[in-house]
Amino acid sequence: MKITFLGTSHGVPSGDRFCTAMMIESGSSVYLIDAGAPVADLLLRYGKSISDLRAVFTTHAHTDHINGIFPLVNLMNWYFTDSQADFYITEQPVIDAWKNLNLALGSALSEERIRFHKVEDLNVYEDENIKIQYFPTQHMFPRPSYAILVTEGDKRVLFSGDFSNRLSRQDVPAILSEEPLDAFVCELAHFSLAELTPYLEACKAKSVYFNHVYPLKKYEDIEAIKGSYPFPIFTPADGDSFCL
Ligand SMILES: [Zn+2]
Ligand SMILES: [Zn+2]
């Protein structure tokens, strides 16, 4: 699978960073993990067609993780009519709001092609390319939020979503220290590297990628710990990608 960082910013965009979105290419399909960036535009910019998109998985209903979805589904509805996709959303009122907004703008969303699912079961999705499992976190407690594990064959990547402030709710999924993952894509806006250190020391992932980094001084902190762990640590920019 190929993973491209469409947006690496935290809660707000900046001149060179869109908000959080990752594109996964597997087989001939495209998937998104979070969609805080203008994902419809970016799919086209990266040479994909909207009909390549198979499913969108969101970690939680904060705007910096979902704001690209309404423009995407609106375009799918009236223009890219050969497209269809499944959208996994953590809270029903968000789904209802998008449906109502499209109605207010003049038409109902096609429920046959634009399939919204409220996340209920943690084994969220499986097709011939990938499997998606959700792990509850406490970022928005008591509202739902999740980390997402993507499995393709024997390759596995854990996406953190957002964790609790200062990791005070100890919501880093245990799988990070219990099983050998190929990559861990971790946010770094709600806690310090020092607060993450015990989890990095126990981490069994073969590589770690930091995104959603804020404040920007933390990029210096990350540089300082590179080489201190058995796995390489990366700080991708928008547009960077890696393959597993
Ligand atoms: Zn966020
Ligand atoms: Zn958040």
Side-chain angles (χ1 to χ4, degrees):
M1 83 180 112
K2 180 179 180 185
I3 296 167
T4 302
F5 292 89
L6 301 181
T8 60
S9 197
H10 62 107
V12 297
S14 63
D16 58 357
R17 299 196 305 173
F18 288 117
C19 288
T20 302
M22 279 78 64
M23 175 171 71
I24 295 177
E25 295 167 71
S26 178
S28 57
S29 296
V30 170
Y31 309 85
L32 297 174
I33 304 290
D34 280 332
V39 291
D41 313 52
L42 290 168
L43 285 171
L44 300 173
R45 193 171 296 186
Y46 285 94
K48 305 298 162 193
S49 72
I50 300 299
S51 59
D52 293 333
L53 181 66
R54 184 96 169 253
V56 177
F57 307 100
T58 61
T59 58
H60 63 291
H62 273 159
T63 53
D64 57 315
H65 296 253
I66 62 172
N67 259 356
I69 292 178
F70 181 74
L72 169 65
V73 297
N74 177 267
L75 285 167
M76 287 174 66
N77 200 53
W78 75 269
Y79 188 79
F80 297 105
T81 52
D82 62 342
S83 64
Q84 56 173 308
D86 292 285
F87 294 81
Y88 292 85
I89 309 298
T90 56
E91 299 190 55
Q92 187 63 40
V94 176
I95 298 172
D96 297 340
W98 285 331
K99 287 182 177 176
N100 286 331
L101 178 54
N102 215 73
L103 210 50
L105 294 172
S107 62
L109 287 176
S110 164
E111 300 204 9
E112 271 180 25
R113 294 190 297 107
I114 298 162
R115 298 179 293 270
F116 285 116
H117 309 275
K118 180 180 174 290
V119 173
E120 307 272 10
D121 185 346
L122 298 181
N123 291 310
V124 163
Y125 179 89
E126 184 165 8
D127 65 18
E128 73 278 14
N129 298 316
I130 62 165
K131 183 166 80 172
I132 299 287
Q133 293 164 279
Y134 274 40
F135 291 77
T137 64
Q138 304 291 316
H139 171 58
M140 297 171 75
F141 181 83
R143 290 168 61 190
S145 63
Y146 302 90
I148 295 178
L149 180 69
V150 180
T151 302
E152 180 201 60
D154 61 355
K155 301 293 184 188
R156 297 193 295 172
V157 183
L158 182 68
F159 294 87
S160 69
D162 288 357
F163 291 136
S164 57
N165 280 330
R166 303 177 61 87
L167 298 174
S168 60
R169 293 181 180 271
Q170 302 178 338
D171 49 347
V172 177
I175 190 172
L176 185 66
S177 60
E178 291 173 350
E179 298 186 28
L181 307 173
D182 293 279
F184 176 42
V185 177
C186 187
E187 70 119 331
L188 194 58
H190 298 97
F191 44 86
S192 67
L193 263 185
E195 286 155 347
L196 187 66
T197 296
Y199 300 96
L200 288 178
E201 286 176 347
C203 172
K204 287 191 176 169
K206 293 178 190 156
S207 57
V208 171
Y209 295 78
F210 284 111
N211 69 348
H212 202 279
V213 176
Y214 186 80
L216 301 183
K217 187 203 166 292
K218 286 182 183 169
Y219 279 114
E220 293 169 26
D221 302 339
I222 297 168
E223 287 305 312
I225 64 160
K226 285 184 177 177
S228 309
Y229 294 95
F231 44 81
I233 293 173
F234 301 99
T235 49
D238 285 23
D240 286 352
S241 60
F242 66 98
C243 292
L244 292 173

